[in-house]
């Protein structure tokens, strides 16, 4: 079966750095996505990793280790608007399905 | 350009009634996906369309659920004899292709409430 684990909730301070971890055990792996979802809104794409290593995009970076079944999303210089749910999703099987974790609810405080 | 659109945005229906949800993907996107998101939970894959290939229906929870897509355009998700457990947000997404690396663009969702 497919299993993707993320912490349920995290709290961080404005201006700080936060790391959201994701571990997965899936039958097949063709890449890992991170999406951001604000309450009541659709998920929006943040990053995609298929090779090991760090992908940096502005304040957001994503890391992947395929051998460890592990990824993290790093958010720097946190802003209040970063308060949202962060979804880890793995491309599995025939490459056409995204299996999502339950998401990590991040709260940014002053 | 226009993103993925879905209608209605909200639907309240009585248990046992049928509902039809609509998705308009981004023009030119060959792949279309339906997901369900229950309150406080992650996204659950339902069905996937890619071009003229047979759809992948492996995520549909029961035979009360069905979906159609006309070519590479509009898709409808139909739920027959709705149950209270069907209450959720139904999200549609489209992408340029089905291979890995193609970002999925999500619509705003349809919030379905079965009373």
């Amino acid at each position: 079966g497919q299993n993707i684990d993320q912490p349920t909730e995290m709290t961080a301070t404005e201006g700080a750095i936060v790391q959201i971890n994701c571990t997965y055990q899936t039958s097949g792996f063709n890449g890992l996505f991170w999406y951001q979802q604000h309450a009541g809104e659709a998920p929006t794409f943040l990053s995609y990793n298929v090779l090991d290593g760090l992908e940096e995009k502005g304040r957001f970076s994503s890391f992947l280790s395929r051998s460890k079944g592990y990824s993290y999303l790093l958010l720097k210089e946190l802003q209040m608007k970063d308060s949202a749910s962060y979804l880890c999703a793995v491309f599995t099987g025939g490459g056409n399905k995204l299996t999502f974790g339950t998401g990590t609810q991040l709260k940014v405080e002053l | 350009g226009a993103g993925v659109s879905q209608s209605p945005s909200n639907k309240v229906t009585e248990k046992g009634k049928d509902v039809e949800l609509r998705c308009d993907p981004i023009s030119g996107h060959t792949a279309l996906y339906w997901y369900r998101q229950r309150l406080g939970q992650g996204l659950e894959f339902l069905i996937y369309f890619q071009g003229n290939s047979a759809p992948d229906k492996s995520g549909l929870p029961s035979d009360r659920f069905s979906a159609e897509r006309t070519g590479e355009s509009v898709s409808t998700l139909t739920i027959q004899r709705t149950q209270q457990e069907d209450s959720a947000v139904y999200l549609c997404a489209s992408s340029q292709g089905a291979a890995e690396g193609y970002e999925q663009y999500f619509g705003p969702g349809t919030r379905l409430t079965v009373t």
Side-chain angles (χ1 to χ4, degrees), chain B residues 12-19 64 80-86 113-115:
Chain B
V12 180
T13 189
E14 292 180 352
K15 178 182 174 181
K17 295 285 181 67
D18 297 352
V19 295
R64 297 186 296 105
Q80 296 177 310
R81 304 180 304 280
T82 52
Q83 304 294 314
Q84 289 184 331
E85 68 211 40
D86 300 334
T113 303
V114 182
T115 60

Side-chain angles (χ1 to χ4, degrees), chain A residues 82-95:
Chain A
D82 297 329
S83 294
S85 180
Y86 291 85
L87 307 174
C88 172
V90 174
F91 236 154
T92 59

Side-chain angles (χ1 to χ4, degrees), chain A residues 70-90:
Chain A
Y70 168 69
S71 172
Y72 68 71
L73 180 68
L74 193 71
L75 292 76
K76 304 175 186 175
E77 302 168 14
L78 280 172
Q79 302 174 9
M80 298 299 289
K81 67 179 182 180
D82 297 329
S83 294
S85 180
Y86 291 85
L87 307 174
C88 172
V90 174

Side-chain angles (χ1 to χ4, degrees), chain A residues 30-31 33 35 37 39-46 48 50 85 87 91 94-103, chain B residues 33 35 37 40-45 48 56 58-59 91 97-109 111:
Chain A
N30 289 312
F33 287 81
Y35 281 83
Q37 186 177 28
E41 299 182 11
T44 55
F45 170 81
L46 289 178
Y48 169 71
V50 66
S85 180
L87 307 174
F91 236 154
N96 56 6
K97 283 183 200 174
L98 271 182
T99 299
F100 282 83
T102 55
Chain B
Y33 306 78
Y35 295 90
Q37 187 173 30
Q41 298 188 19
L43 275 68
E44 176 187 4
F45 168 81
Y48 149 77
D56 179 348
S58 60
L91 289 161
E100 56 271 17
Y102 281 119
E103 172 191 346
Q104 294 184 20
Y105 294 81
F106 284 83
R111 182 175 298 279

Side-chain angles (χ1 to χ4, degrees), chain B residues 55-76:
Chain B
D56 179 348
K57 305 178 182 180
S58 60
L60 294 178
S62 78
D63 59 7
R64 297 186 296 105
F65 287 71
S66 63
E68 294 182 349
R69 187 182 186 193
T70 306
E72 292 185 353
S73 61
V74 172
S75 175
T76 55

